[in-house]
mmCIF file of all heavy atoms in Angstrom:
data_model
loop_
_atom_site.group_PDB
_atom_site.id
_atom_site.type_symbol
_atom_site.label_atom_id
_atom_site.label_comp_id
_atom_site.label_asym_id
_atom_site.label_seq_id
_atom_site.Cartn_x
_atom_site.Cartn_y
_atom_site.Cartn_z
ATOM 1 N N SER A 335 3.339 -2.032 -16.839
ATOM 2 C CA SER A 335 3.952 -1.301 -18.087
ATOM 3 C C SER A 335 3.958 0.197 -17.822
ATOM 4 O O SER A 335 3.226 0.708 -16.939
ATOM 5 C CB SER A 335 3.129 -1.549 -19.295
ATOM 6 O OG SER A 335 1.865 -1.090 -19.201
ATOM 7 N N TYR A 336 4.672 0.998 -18.646
ATOM 8 C CA TYR A 336 4.676 2.376 -18.485
ATOM 9 C C TYR A 336 3.305 2.997 -18.570
ATOM 10 O O TYR A 336 2.909 3.844 -17.820
ATOM 11 C CB TYR A 336 5.662 2.882 -19.699
ATOM 12 C CG TYR A 336 5.912 4.390 -19.646
ATOM 13 C CD1 TYR A 336 7.129 4.812 -19.060
ATOM 14 C CD2 TYR A 336 5.071 5.303 -20.172
ATOM 15 C CE1 TYR A 336 7.417 6.173 -19.087
ATOM 16 C CE2 TYR A 336 5.408 6.683 -20.215
ATOM 17 C CZ TYR A 336 6.609 7.018 -19.622
ATOM 18 O OH TYR A 336 6.848 8.386 -19.616
ATOM 19 N N GLU A 337 2.536 2.463 -19.673
ATOM 20 C CA GLU A 337 1.264 2.991 -19.923
ATOM 21 C C GLU A 337 0.353 2.721 -18.812
ATOM 22 O O GLU A 337 -0.438 3.701 -18.328
ATOM 23 C CB GLU A 337 0.784 2.320 -21.232
ATOM 24 C CG GLU A 337 -0.620 2.591 -21.691
ATOM 25 C CD GLU A 337 -1.139 1.592 -22.706
ATOM 26 O OE1 GLU A 337 -0.399 0.606 -23.014
ATOM 27 O OE2 GLU A 337 -2.246 1.726 -23.064
ATOM 28 N N ALA A 338 0.248 1.557 -18.286
ATOM 29 C CA ALA A 338 -0.707 1.216 -17.192
ATOM 30 C C ALA A 338 -0.395 2.036 -15.975
ATOM 31 O O ALA A 338 -1.255 2.596 -15.253
ATOM 32 C CB ALA A 338 -0.698 -0.178 -16.917
ATOM 33 N N GLN A 339 0.966 2.127 -15.666
ATOM 34 C CA GLN A 339 1.273 2.951 -14.468
ATOM 35 C C GLN A 339 0.989 4.430 -14.537
ATOM 36 O O GLN A 339 0.660 5.036 -13.666
ATOM 37 C CB GLN A 339 2.766 2.734 -14.157
ATOM 38 C CG GLN A 339 3.162 1.273 -13.785
ATOM 39 C CD GLN A 339 4.514 1.208 -12.975
ATOM 40 O OE1 GLN A 339 5.296 2.145 -12.937
ATOM 41 N NE2 GLN A 339 4.780 0.056 -12.485
ATOM 42 N N LYS A 340 1.044 4.898 -15.708
ATOM 43 C CA LYS A 340 0.705 6.274 -15.940
ATOM 44 C C LYS A 340 -0.772 6.439 -15.794
ATOM 45 O O LYS A 340 -1.268 7.375 -14.965
ATOM 46 C CB LYS A 340 0.995 6.682 -17.473
ATOM 47 C CG LYS A 340 0.786 8.091 -17.803
ATOM 48 C CD LYS A 340 1.381 8.340 -19.131
ATOM 49 C CE LYS A 340 0.924 9.741 -19.687
ATOM 50 N NZ LYS A 340 1.649 9.964 -21.029
ATOM 51 N N THR A 341 -1.623 5.559 -16.285
ATOM 52 C CA THR A 341 -3.069 5.643 -16.090
ATOM 53 C C THR A 341 -3.358 5.501 -14.601
ATOM 54 O O THR A 341 -4.220 6.266 -14.063
ATOM 55 C CB THR A 341 -3.792 4.526 -16.817
ATOM 56 O OG1 THR A 341 -3.395 4.576 -18.152
ATOM 57 C CG2 THR A 341 -5.295 4.566 -16.727
ATOM 58 N N LEU A 342 -2.750 4.609 -13.844
ATOM 59 C CA LEU A 342 -2.984 4.375 -12.502
ATOM 60 C C LEU A 342 -2.744 5.616 -11.701
ATOM 61 O O LEU A 342 -3.406 5.938 -10.698
ATOM 62 C CB LEU A 342 -2.186 3.156 -11.950
ATOM 63 C CG LEU A 342 -2.809 1.848 -12.305
ATOM 64 C CD1 LEU A 342 -1.783 0.730 -12.022
ATOM 65 C CD2 LEU A 342 -4.162 1.550 -11.659
ATOM 66 N N SER A 343 -1.593 6.320 -12.047
ATOM 67 C CA SER A 343 -1.226 7.537 -11.301
ATOM 68 C C SER A 343 -2.225 8.637 -11.474
ATOM 69 O O SER A 343 -2.668 9.310 -10.557
ATOM 70 C CB SER A 343 0.180 7.942 -11.744
ATOM 71 O OG SER A 343 0.577 9.110 -11.065
ATOM 72 N N LEU A 344 -2.694 8.762 -12.773
ATOM 73 C CA LEU A 344 -3.636 9.831 -13.061
ATOM 74 C C LEU A 344 -5.037 9.591 -12.490
ATOM 75 O O LEU A 344 -5.691 10.578 -12.122
ATOM 76 C CB LEU A 344 -3.736 9.978 -14.637
ATOM 77 C CG LEU A 344 -2.488 10.611 -15.295
ATOM 78 C CD1 LEU A 344 -2.619 10.509 -16.756
ATOM 79 C CD2 LEU A 344 -2.412 12.111 -14.974
ATOM 80 N N THR A 345 -5.382 8.343 -12.352
ATOM 81 C CA THR A 345 -6.823 8.128 -12.011
ATOM 82 C C THR A 345 -6.862 7.580 -10.564
ATOM 83 O O THR A 345 -7.422 8.242 -9.722
ATOM 84 C CB THR A 345 -7.419 7.085 -13.006
ATOM 85 O OG1 THR A 345 -6.654 5.927 -12.961
ATOM 86 C CG2 THR A 345 -7.607 7.606 -14.345
ATOM 87 N N VAL A 346 -6.304 6.445 -10.365
ATOM 88 C CA VAL A 346 -6.491 5.886 -8.952
ATOM 89 C C VAL A 346 -5.588 6.535 -7.946
ATOM 90 O O VAL A 346 -5.823 6.640 -6.757
ATOM 91 C CB VAL A 346 -6.209 4.323 -9.041
ATOM 92 C CG1 VAL A 346 -6.295 3.696 -7.630
ATOM 93 C CG2 VAL A 346 -7.063 3.628 -10.093
ATOM 94 N N GLY A 347 -4.412 7.054 -8.441
ATOM 95 C CA GLY A 347 -3.482 7.772 -7.506
ATOM 96 C C GLY A 347 -2.376 6.939 -7.083
ATOM 97 O O GLY A 347 -1.581 7.332 -6.208
ATOM 98 N N TYR A 348 -2.228 5.655 -7.698
ATOM 99 C CA TYR A 348 -1.085 4.868 -7.290
ATOM 100 C C TYR A 348 0.140 5.317 -8.050
ATOM 101 O O TYR A 348 0.065 5.428 -9.277
ATOM 102 C CB TYR A 348 -1.439 3.421 -7.662
ATOM 103 C CG TYR A 348 -2.485 2.748 -6.819
ATOM 104 C CD1 TYR A 348 -3.029 1.574 -7.229
ATOM 105 C CD2 TYR A 348 -2.824 3.282 -5.598
ATOM 106 C CE1 TYR A 348 -3.919 0.936 -6.409
ATOM 107 C CE2 TYR A 348 -3.734 2.683 -4.810
ATOM 108 C CZ TYR A 348 -4.399 1.493 -5.222
ATOM 109 O OH TYR A 348 -5.350 0.911 -4.472
ATOM 110 N N LYS A 349 1.248 5.570 -7.293
ATOM 111 C CA LYS A 349 2.353 6.075 -8.002
ATOM 112 C C LYS A 349 3.312 5.083 -8.640
ATOM 113 O O LYS A 349 3.543 4.054 -8.071
ATOM 114 C CB LYS A 349 3.145 6.977 -6.986
ATOM 115 C CG LYS A 349 2.325 8.082 -6.428
ATOM 116 C CD LYS A 349 1.948 9.018 -7.568
ATOM 117 C CE LYS A 349 0.648 9.775 -7.318
ATOM 118 N NZ LYS A 349 -0.043 10.148 -8.545
ATOM 119 N N PRO A 350 3.843 5.445 -9.769
ATOM 120 C CA PRO A 350 4.658 4.570 -10.594
ATOM 121 C C PRO A 350 5.952 4.082 -9.977
ATOM 122 O O PRO A 350 6.551 4.847 -9.290
ATOM 123 C CB PRO A 350 5.046 5.356 -11.836
ATOM 124 C CG PRO A 350 4.153 6.565 -11.846
ATOM 125 C CD PRO A 350 3.643 6.815 -10.485
ATOM 126 N N THR A 351 6.229 2.758 -10.135
ATOM 127 C CA THR A 351 7.548 2.292 -9.710
ATOM 128 C C THR A 351 8.628 2.498 -10.791
ATOM 129 O O THR A 351 9.740 2.215 -10.563
ATOM 130 C CB THR A 351 7.414 0.754 -9.449
ATOM 131 O OG1 THR A 351 6.728 0.153 -10.510
ATOM 132 C CG2 THR A 351 6.687 0.530 -8.187
ATOM 133 N N ARG A 352 8.089 2.894 -11.956
ATOM 134 C CA ARG A 352 9.045 3.242 -13.095
ATOM 135 C C ARG A 352 9.466 4.631 -12.975
ATOM 136 O O ARG A 352 8.641 5.504 -13.061
ATOM 137 C CB ARG A 352 8.402 2.956 -14.558
ATOM 138 C CG ARG A 352 8.112 1.506 -14.729
ATOM 139 C CD ARG A 352 7.411 1.409 -16.078
ATOM 140 N NE ARG A 352 7.239 -0.027 -16.339
ATOM 141 C CZ ARG A 352 8.129 -0.771 -16.986
ATOM 142 N NH1 ARG A 352 9.303 -0.320 -17.322
ATOM 143 N NH2 ARG A 352 7.949 -2.129 -17.154
ATOM 144 N N ARG A 353 10.795 4.787 -12.899
ATOM 145 C CA ARG A 353 11.264 6.093 -12.623
ATOM 146 C C ARG A 353 11.080 7.187 -13.750
ATOM 147 O O ARG A 353 10.932 8.355 -13.464
ATOM 148 C CB ARG A 353 12.863 5.992 -12.307
ATOM 149 C CG ARG A 353 13.082 5.197 -11.103
ATOM 150 C CD ARG A 353 14.539 5.422 -10.646
ATOM 151 N NE ARG A 353 15.379 4.568 -11.552
ATOM 152 C CZ ARG A 353 16.603 4.276 -11.114
ATOM 153 N NH1 ARG A 353 17.095 4.713 -10.061
ATOM 154 N NH2 ARG A 353 17.301 3.572 -11.942
ATOM 155 N N LYS A 354 11.181 6.662 -15.019
ATOM 156 C CA LYS A 354 11.026 7.627 -16.110
ATOM 157 C C LYS A 354 9.685 8.374 -16.104
ATOM 158 O O LYS A 354 9.562 9.496 -16.564
ATOM 159 C CB LYS A 354 11.034 6.796 -17.461
ATOM 160 C CG LYS A 354 12.318 7.029 -18.275
ATOM 161 C CD LYS A 354 12.092 6.490 -19.562
ATOM 162 C CE LYS A 354 13.174 6.888 -20.604
ATOM 163 N NZ LYS A 354 13.102 6.022 -21.745
#
Side-chain angles (χ1 to χ4, degrees):
S335 65
Y336 188 97
E337 177 197 359
Q339 292 202 349
K340 182 168 169 176
T341 308
L342 284 170
S343 180
L344 288 169
T345 55
V346 182
Y348 289 167
K349 296 300 152 212
T351 49
R352 291 182 176 272
R353 294 194 284 199
K354 249 194 173 165

